[in-house]
Amino acid sequence: MPLRVIFFIKLFFMEKKAFDDLIDFEDKNWWFVGRRTIIKSVLASLYQRRVDKALDVGCGTGLNLNLLSLFADSVIGLEPAMLPTKILDNNRVQIIR
């Protein structure tokens, strides 16, 4: 089996422990925290009112979904990998795998 196929399979079926570590990293790492701050600022300047829907394709850990829910009544996250997405008590967010 080609190496890139093996890598994709490992990524697609990421172990829960490794994914939990990734969630913690993205939640606290300066790059991801700063990125979410910038995204929030840009969205706040572009959208003075809430929009009906927002879509995050490749939502990964799902941490950006909660950010998008500040600006949209309904948020949909698409994630092809079978990853346990982290959603902080938010009934406006839906994950589609």
Side-chain angles (χ1 to χ4, degrees):
M1 189 177 301
L3 184 58
R4 65 181 168 191
V5 172
I6 294 171
F7 175 75
F8 176 75
I9 290 171
K10 286 184 178 182
L11 179 64
F12 191 81
F13 295 104
M14 184 183 283
E15 294 180 22
K16 184 174 180 346
K17 168 69 172 112
F19 190 74
D20 288 343
D21 292 344
L22 179 61
I23 288 174
D24 289 339
F25 180 74
E26 283 190 21
D27 193 32
K28 299 177 178 101
N29 180 270
W30 66 271
W31 167 259
F32 293 101
V33 171
R35 182 172 164 244
R36 283 190 298 273
T37 301
I38 292 169
I39 291 170
K40 182 178 180 180
S41 175
V42 169
L43 290 175
S45 68
L46 292 175
Y47 299 103
Q48 306 304 319
R49 297 182 315 212
R50 295 178 67 78
V51 296
D52 292 334
K53 295 180 183 178
L55 173 66
D56 184 358
V57 177
C59 64
T61 61
L63 293 175
N64 290 329
L65 298 175
N66 291 298
L67 171 64
L68 291 175
S69 72
L70 298 174
F71 300 94
D73 294 330
S74 174
V75 178
I76 298 173
L78 294 176
E79 179 53 57
M82 298 303 290
L83 303 175
T85 308
K86 178 179 182 177
I87 301 175
L88 309 173
D89 296 328
N90 197 326
N91 60 3
R92 291 191 303 262
V93 175
Q94 174 187 3
I95 304 294
I96 298 173
R97 299 178 200 277

